[in-house]
């Protein structure tokens, strides 16, 4: 059985409750030459203890050391490109090129390097000095380990031991306990080995990076609620995420979740009149990208009834029928999608294309298009918003603009919301009516562009209201904002300068991020 990464050593799991192995989704074959342990609490407790020691050590390090580790880790990944992408391809079915080699792995190393820049320049710390009141504040590390639960659909860029949450937690000075996804365990092992080479090369604390593969659900909840753990980052399904949130909330542990999103696309009348078939092609391409297994997949489209809406539905259905189904990530995926499609049909949706498990060599489900009326959607809005994690799109046909706005008003929180409108401005009043409601429902608003791409930009918000995430204030993509999730705001009142963090001292280092407060703004209150 493969070892876990514990306190700087590849160590046999203590008292595992069983083992798991990966599958090759493209062939449905089990990959049995490597078995990975289902960790007991003994493993997790040992990681918590080591992680607390590492946090104490990290608090004493200069930011440059942390930044150098992140840069060195990115360099190490650059040495392993061919092996990494081949193993990830075998375990996920995602194409080597362009997806894994040319897009996702470069994005991953870019995230690590951006986090290094933030670690070095302190941009995430938001140092504030109120000289008149003698009060200063700054964001600091949390003082303990952060658990990161990675998803199955991004084996590099969201991996628990390499992805955005990992980079943000480490960049803010916290050690990470990573849960590798059992769908791509060998990929995660290779990433963790590269991380450990970087740990050793830069003299970081041994338990800066730790990793286990799987544990029983009840132990995952126990981990989330343990007082030594200071925060949780999770990307995955809504069911698992909400259970972790309940466990963490009971003890006040901050938990940052990315869970479920239908990413609605509103296509106004003028846009349909001008380019219905063009938008249908864009929608299908976005919906089917990665076999529909992107968190930003547009699974819901809303159109106004008009002659062009019929041609839009026909074009979208034809694209779905003529496209080869993509490979799904897990053996359970086809059945899970089929269950959701059956549920939607049971609530009154009409099937226009697909709707069956595909008879292909790998795990797959036919590209599927359904439609329903806005009136039916409004009657069954909760069920109609059930996410189908695959190439499935439900098109809601509204009788008029007001009914489309009513659909927007009952939407759950989403990562993204998109509005397509006419280029000549004749949809502007309709745009304003939809946008007013949709803006409060989504983290990122787009115009005339499908939402699937998520740029790693300081201005990006990859977040949104519940249940897209657990908190609408935070983003999991976009540095330095993503680092702030894994910090504590510390205030210092009348503390002598030499006892303050260096960024708050009277002679703070050049380049520290700070802002001074005008004395006239400050009052002292008793509360």
């Amino acid at each position: 059985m493969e070892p876990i990464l514990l306190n700087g050593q590849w160590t046999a799991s203590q008292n595992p409750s069983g083992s798991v192995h990966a599958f090759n989704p493209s062939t449905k074959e089990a990959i049995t030459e490597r078995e990975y342990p289902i960790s007991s609490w003994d493993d997790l407790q040992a990681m918590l203890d080591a992680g607390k020691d590492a946090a104490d050590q990290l608090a004493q390090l200069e930011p440059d050391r942390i930044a150098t580790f992140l840069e060195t880790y990115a360099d190490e990944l650059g040495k392993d490109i061919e092996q990494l992408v081949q193993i990830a391809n075998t375990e996920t079915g995602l194409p080597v090129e362009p997806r894994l080699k040319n897009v996702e792995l470069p994005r991953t190393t870019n995230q690590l390097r951006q986090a290094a820049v933030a670690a070095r320049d302190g941009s995430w710390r938001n140092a504030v000095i109120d000289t008149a009141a003698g009060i200063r504040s700054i964001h600091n590390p949390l003082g303990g380990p952060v658990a990161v639960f990675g998803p199955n659909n991004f084996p590099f860029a969201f991996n628990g031991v390499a992805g955005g949450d990992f980079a943000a937690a480490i960049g803010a000075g916290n050690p990470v306990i990573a849960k590798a996804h059992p769908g791509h365990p060998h990929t995660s092992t290779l990433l963790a080995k590269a991380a450990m080479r970087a740990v050793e090369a830069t003299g970081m604390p041994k338990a800066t990076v730790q990793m286990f593969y799987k544990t029983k659900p009840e132990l995952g909840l126990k981990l989330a609620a343990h007082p030594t753990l200071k925060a949780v980052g999770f990307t995955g399904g809504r069911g698992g995420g909400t259970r972790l949130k309940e466990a963490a909330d009971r003890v006040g542990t901050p938990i940052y979740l990315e869970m479920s999103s239908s990413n609605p696309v509103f296509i106004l009348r003028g846009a349909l009149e001008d380019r219905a078939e063009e938008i249908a092609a864009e929608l299908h391409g976005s919906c089917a990208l990665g076999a529909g297994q992107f968190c930003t997949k547009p699974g819901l489209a809303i159109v106004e009834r008009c002659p062009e809406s019929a041609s839009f539905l026909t074009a979208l259905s034809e694209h779905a029928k003529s496209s080869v189904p993509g490979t799904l990530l897990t053996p359970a995926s086809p059945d899970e999608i089929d269950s959701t499609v059956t549920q939607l049909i049971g609530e009154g949706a009409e099937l226009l294309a697909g709707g069956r498990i595909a008879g292909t060599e790998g795990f797959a489900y036919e590209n599927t298009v359904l439609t329903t009326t806005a009136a039916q959607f409004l009657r069954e809005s909760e069920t109609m918003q059930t996410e189908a994690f695959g190439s499935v799109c439900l098109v809601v046909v509204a009788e008029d603009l007001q009914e489309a706005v009513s659909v927007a008003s009952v939407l759950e929180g989403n990562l993204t919301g998109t509005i397509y409108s006419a280029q000549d401005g004749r949809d502007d009043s309709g745009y304003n009516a939809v946008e007013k409601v949709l803006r409060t429902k989504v983290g990122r608003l787009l115009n005339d562009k499908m939402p699937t791409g998520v740029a790693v930009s300081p201005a990006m918000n990859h977040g949104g209201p519940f249940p897209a995430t657990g908190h609408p204030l935070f983003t999991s993509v976009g540095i330095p904002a993503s680092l702030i999730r894994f910090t504590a705001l510390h205030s210092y009142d009348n503390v002598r300068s030499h006892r303050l963090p260096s960024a708050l001292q009277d002679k703070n280092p050049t380049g520290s991020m700070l802002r001074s407060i005008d004395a006239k703004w400050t009052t002292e209150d008793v509360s």
Side-chain angles (χ1 to χ4, degrees):
M1 193 177 298
E2 298 296 310
I4 60 173
L5 179 56
L6 169 62
N7 198 19
Q9 300 293 323
W10 290 99
T11 305
S13 175
Q14 298 299 304
N15 305 312
S17 58
S19 66
V20 294
H21 58 256
F23 286 83
N24 183 331
S26 299
T27 64
K28 300 181 182 177
E29 294 175 344
I31 305 173
T32 56
E33 57 264 31
R34 288 182 176 85
E35 293 284 336
Y36 300 87
I38 301 174
S39 282
S40 68
W41 183 251
D42 293 338
D43 290 342
L44 304 185
Q45 182 65 64
M47 289 184 177
L48 287 166
D49 294 341
K52 179 61 173 71
D53 290 342
D56 294 341
Q57 296 172 57
L58 282 167
Q60 305 305 314
L61 295 183
E62 291 297 322
D64 185 69
R65 178 84 65 85
I66 296 170
T68 301
F69 160 72
L70 290 164
E71 291 164 343
T72 304
Y73 185 14
D75 291 342
E76 289 295 325
L77 293 181
K79 299 174 184 177
D80 289 345
I81 291 174
E82 296 304 324
Q83 185 182 21
L84 279 167
V85 299
Q86 290 299 332
I87 295 300
N89 167 259
T90 300
E91 291 187 324
T92 66
L94 297 171
V96 168
E97 294 188 272
R99 166 66 190 270
L100 293 172
K101 185 175 183 178
N102 307 116
V103 178
E104 190 179 338
L105 190 55
R107 170 181 169 168
T108 305
T109 55
N110 180 40
Q111 289 173 164
L112 293 169
R113 296 187 193 283
Q114 287 191 28
V117 171
R120 190 172 279 120
D121 68 20
S123 54
W124 57 276
R125 305 196 74 184
N126 194 29
V128 179
I129 297 176
D130 184 341
T131 306
I135 300 173
R136 308 173 187 219
S137 67
I138 196 167
H139 286 265
N140 279 331
L142 292 168
V146 171
V148 178
F149 292 74
N152 62 356
N153 59 335
F154 280 86
F156 300 141
F158 283 83
N159 195 294
V161 76
D165 283 350
F166 171 91
I170 297 287
N174 307 283
V176 166
I177 298 172
K179 179 190 177 294
H181 196 281
H184 47 255
H186 192 187
T187 303
S188 299
T189 301
L190 295 177
L191 295 172
K193 287 181 176 179
M196 285 310 302
R197 293 196 298 271
V199 165
E200 293 163 1
T202 56
M204 291 284 279
K206 293 189 296 183
T208 299
V209 181
Q210 302 182 91
M211 186 181 73
F212 67 99
Y213 294 97
K214 186 176 175 63
T215 193
K216 291 182 176 179
E218 61 268 24
L219 296 185
L221 300 179
K222 184 177 179 180
L223 175 65
H226 196 280
T228 300
L229 193 75
K230 296 306 178 184
V232 179
F234 171 89
T235 304
R238 183 170 173 178
T242 52
R243 288 191 292 273
L244 282 171
K245 186 178 189 303
E246 290 169 0
D249 285 350
R250 282 196 298 271
V251 297
T253 300
I255 182 166
Y256 304 101
L257 307 157
E258 185 202 312
M259 297 183 291
S260 174
S261 188
S262 58
N263 304 299
V265 176
F266 285 79
I267 307 167
L268 302 183
R269 182 185 294 266
L272 284 172
E273 291 171 347
D274 290 349
R275 56 192 196 280
E277 293 189 7
E278 177 184 334
I279 297 171
E282 290 180 24
L283 178 58
H284 169 73
S286 182
C287 188
L289 187 65
Q293 297 169 115
F294 279 45
C295 46
T296 50
K297 180 206 74 175
L300 183 65
I302 300 90
V303 301
E304 294 182 61
R305 190 180 299 282
C306 61
E308 291 77 16
S309 63
S311 60
F312 170 82
L313 281 169
T314 298
L316 183 63
S317 301
E318 288 304 314
H319 282 296
K321 293 173 184 177
S322 62
S323 300
V324 177
T327 300
L328 298 170
L329 291 161
T330 71
S333 295
D335 287 330
E336 291 171 352
I337 296 170
D338 193 58
S339 177
T340 302
V341 170
T342 300
Q343 184 180 24
L344 292 171
I345 293 171
E347 296 296 346
E350 178 188 354
L351 182 66
L352 299 182
R356 295 180 302 179
I357 295 173
T360 58
E361 183 180 4
F363 304 128
Y365 195 86
E366 293 180 347
N367 299 302
T368 298
V369 177
L370 306 104
T371 187
T372 191
T373 64
Q376 182 64 14
F377 184 92
L378 292 167
R379 282 192 292 269
E380 304 293 344
S381 61
E382 182 175 352
T383 302
M384 289 288 186
Q385 293 180 73
T386 303
E387 182 184 26
F389 199 56
S391 181
V392 178
C393 187
L394 174 66
V395 181
V396 178
V397 181
E399 294 300 321
D400 52 31
L401 177 66
Q402 186 54 52
E403 201 170 43
V405 173
S406 296
V407 170
S409 72
V410 300
L411 292 176
E412 298 178 329
N414 281 272
L415 295 170
T416 73
T418 301
I419 305 175
Y420 275 79
S421 60
Q423 298 298 317
D424 62 5
R426 67 185 186 276
D427 280 330
D428 282 2
S429 61
Y431 176 91
N432 293 336
V434 173
E435 190 271 347
K436 181 180 179 180
V437 178
L438 186 62
R439 177 65 276 185
T440 64
K441 304 281 188 173
V442 303
R444 176 165 55 116
L445 180 71
L446 300 96
N447 279 189
D448 306 301
K449 174 185 176 183
M450 290 298 164
T452 331
V454 181
V456 183
S457 160
M460 175 54 66
N461 178 20
H462 191 56
F466 184 86
T469 72
H471 198 300
L473 181 59
F474 298 101
T475 176
S476 64
V477 177
I479 292 170
S482 63
L483 275 68
I484 295 171
R485 298 172 298 160
F486 303 117
T487 67
L489 180 60
H490 289 171
S491 181
Y492 299 84
D493 191 340
N494 201 42
V495 176
R496 299 175 193 176
S497 180
H498 71 280
R499 295 172 177 170
L500 292 166
S502 60
L504 293 179
Q505 292 177 10
D506 292 334
K507 295 181 179 180
N508 62 289
T510 301
S512 292
M513 303 296 293
L514 65 86
R515 56 190 172 92
S516 299
I517 303 299
D518 190 320
K520 292 182 291 185
W521 294 1
T522 305
T523 60
E524 188 161 349
D525 188 19
V526 177
S527 57

